[in-house]
Amino acid sequence: MASAQAAGDGDARVALRAAAELRRTSERMEAQLVRRARNQGLSWAEVAAQLGVSKQAVHHKHRGRGLLGTGREP
């Protein structure tokens, strides 16, 4: 991945931009996977356990996105 390689770049500006892009990509992926898990019936506790965070943390971060990412909880 170009961003991962750029994060090791000697130019701090290039490396910081790459780190920011990696973070955005990771956040998008996590949101998609949490939605998928919830759509497949996993509880907030199960999702949290897989992510290695508390149930409260994952619920706070991803609540309100609802099933299929509609922004509504069922």
Side-chain angles (χ1 to χ4, degrees), residues 21-72:
E21 179 58 31
L22 287 168
R23 184 178 55 248
R24 287 188 294 270
T25 299
S26 176
E27 292 292 327
R28 281 191 303 266
M29 178 185 284
E30 181 179 305
Q32 291 169 351
L33 294 172
V34 168
R35 257 193 320 274
R36 183 188 310 167
R38 295 288 292 149
N39 286 339
Q40 291 179 3
L42 273 70
S43 69
W44 286 113
E46 291 173 298
V47 172
Q50 294 305 310
L51 292 174
V53 299
S54 71
K55 175 184 157 186
Q56 292 80 5
V58 76
H59 186 260
H60 183 265
K61 184 175 183 179
H62 295 286
R63 72 173 183 252
R65 293 187 178 160
L67 296 178
L68 305 175
T70 61
R72 295 184 310 269

